[in-house]
Amino acid sequence: MAVKTCLMIGASGMAGGWIQRMTQQLGDRIQIVGLVDVNEEVLAAQGAKLGLRSDQLFADYQEACATVQADFCGIATPPQFHSPQAIAALEAGMPVICEKPIADTLAAAKAMAAKAEETGLPCAIIQNYRYAPNKQEVVRIREEKRLGRLQHIFGRYACDYRQYKSWGKEWRHDMDFSLLFEGSVHHFDMMRFLAGGDCEVLQGFGWNPAWSSFKHYSSGFYLMRMDNGVHTAYEGNSSAAGITSCWQREYYRLEFEEGTVEIGEGDEVRIYRVGHEVEVYAAPAMERAGHDYLFKEFVDWLEGSRASATRIEDNLQSFALVIAAMETTVDGQPKRIADYL
């Protein structure tokens, strides 16, 4: 397999994690040949680690897209920059893999998806929480009908971010709808994945407790009815002070025709059946998980394998849920997802 070259937009924070994974876990398949960041110190330091020349380092993504010839472009920047950066890369002939959410607005997300369709180039969105052993096992249970038909799902995310900047960056505490755009975007996508369907109707409420470190809505309850008859309920809380279900430890309970499945922290799967002892076991291990799975899947796609499951055309469904949740929070009215797509 030929090594795929990458223009990487973003060099610190989440982007730094991308770079580490690309170079360490997939260094035999990915080579970063250009790097973009607006912070000159970060750019220089990360460029030195990668052994890049000065003419491979850029402060401006448009200049980088016009200059660097790469097999694909990776984008890990704040949401408001995703769409213009992805469009520039696609117009330059580079497939794109981009951090979630797709963008900061539905119009920007649709523009990005339209450019991918126009160019015919692969474009995938990171939804790494799908690719954990316990989540994959739950989907197998559903698909194999081990417990019959699926009735409904409850999901819970709760982190203690009561202190300002405890969620890594100031902007996460200062932005509008931080719960939805930075947190629930993962969990709504997970509800689709676990349910095996797309949302028809969403309704819910959001709020910001008086003791919150956030300037805007940081907690919420949201209900969804899927197109396959499954219903879901979601609790999001960025000001949790007791029982937490934070990143990598989110709690999901699936109610089936013949039993209940629970997953949370670690790879443990718990199955409950009335009149039976609780069945507890570790989900089968995965060769690659999380971001590593998605990067490999994307490179495989570039080499002719099947398209990434989280390609932008599909992930628009998950992003529409974020926008619908934002709007139902404001007006309290149920939202039909088809109206957004």
Side-chain angles (χ1 to χ4, degrees):
M1 298 181 183
V3 173
K4 296 297 181 184
T5 54
C6 171
L7 167 62
M8 184 67 206
I9 302 180
S12 65
M14 182 61 72
W18 277 40
I19 292 168
Q20 183 178 35
R21 288 184 173 91
M22 286 183 183
T23 56
Q24 294 185 9
Q25 276 70 43
L26 284 164
D28 60 333
R29 301 191 66 188
I30 297 174
Q31 180 186 2
I32 296 173
V33 295
L35 186 64
V36 182
D37 201 283
V38 295
N39 187 312
E40 292 183 2
E41 292 184 4
V42 168
L43 182 63
Q46 193 69 265
K49 288 181 183 178
L50 292 168
L52 299 179
R53 304 183 306 273
S54 60
D55 63 349
Q56 294 175 291
L57 306 179
F58 301 87
D60 181 78
Y61 72 88
Q62 292 177 319
E63 180 186 1
C65 289
T67 304
V68 177
Q69 293 186 335
D71 294 315
F72 73 96
C73 178
I75 299 172
T77 56
Q80 64 269 30
F81 303 116
H82 292 176
S83 185
Q85 290 169 346
I87 288 172
L90 291 164
E91 288 179 339
M94 286 181 281
V96 168
I97 183 166
C98 180
E99 187 56 72
K100 62 79 208 153
I102 299 174
D104 59 334
T105 67
L106 186 60
K110 286 184 174 180
M112 185 170 156
K115 183 59 66 174
E117 181 179 9
E118 176 191 322
T119 60
L121 293 171
C123 182
I125 306 300
I126 291 288
Q127 291 289 354
N128 53 300
Y129 286 95
R130 288 186 177 207
Y131 299 102
N134 58 356
K135 314 305 190 303
Q136 295 287 317
E137 176 66 1
V138 166
V139 170
R140 282 190 291 269
I141 291 171
R142 188 199 74 225
E143 291 181 341
E144 295 169 8
K145 298 189 182 299
R146 296 183 209 170
L147 295 171
R149 291 164 289 187
L150 177 59
Q151 179 184 179
H152 68 267
I153 302 172
F154 174 78
R156 181 177 192 262
Y157 152 85
C159 288
D160 180 8
Y161 292 140
R162 290 174 294 160
Q163 295 296 316
Y164 188 66
K165 295 199 293 187
S166 56
W167 199 355
K169 300 289 185 179
E170 294 95 330
W171 56 265
R172 290 197 179 98
H173 294 257
D174 296 341
M175 68 183 289
D176 289 349
F177 295 104
S178 63
L179 169 70
L180 297 177
F181 278 94
E182 286 296 297
S184 308
V185 63
H186 280 293
H187 309 128
F188 291 161
D189 182 77
M190 183 60 67
M191 292 299 198
R192 291 182 56 226
F193 181 57
L194 297 180
D198 289 324
C199 180
E200 288 184 331
V201 178
L202 180 149
Q203 186 170 16
F205 300 95
W207 63 90
N208 201 35
W211 56 90
S212 167
S213 65
F214 295 83
K215 293 183 178 179
H216 205 249
Y217 299 113
S218 63
S219 300
F221 291 137
Y222 298 96
L223 302 174
M224 288 177 272
R225 184 182 73 221
M226 300 299 189
D227 58 9
N228 58 1
V230 175
H231 290 73
T232 77
Y234 168 72
E235 172 193 350
N237 182 8
S238 293
S239 300
I243 299 173
T244 58
S245 303
C246 203
W247 299 111
Q248 306 289 354
R249 297 185 287 110
E250 293 94 335
Y251 170 83
Y252 294 97
R253 187 185 76 243
L254 293 88
E255 298 289 342
F256 286 89
E257 183 180 9
E258 298 169 7
T260 299
V261 178
E262 282 186 328
I263 56 173
E265 184 173 5
D267 295 332
E268 183 177 278
V269 177
R270 301 177 70 88
I271 298 178
Y272 301 81
R273 298 180 179 89
V274 173
H276 293 75
E277 293 291 325
V278 179
E279 181 182 352
V280 183
Y281 65 96
M286 300 173 64
E287 181 181 356
R288 294 183 186 272
H291 282 79
D292 294 341
Y293 182 99
L294 286 162
F295 291 143
K296 178 182 180 300
E297 181 184 56
F298 183 72
V299 172
D300 287 345
W301 184 11
L302 299 184
E303 293 180 342
S305 295
R306 65 180 183 179
S308 297
T310 60
R311 59 196 178 278
I312 193 170
E313 303 95 309
D314 178 84
N315 199 244
L316 270 176
Q317 292 275 349
S318 296
F319 186 68
L321 298 181
V322 174
I323 303 301
M326 178 181 69
E327 294 186 359
T328 192
T329 294
V330 173
D331 64 22
Q333 299 301 306
K335 305 300 175 183
R336 296 189 61 84
I337 303 306
D339 294 340
Y340 294 84
L341 298 172

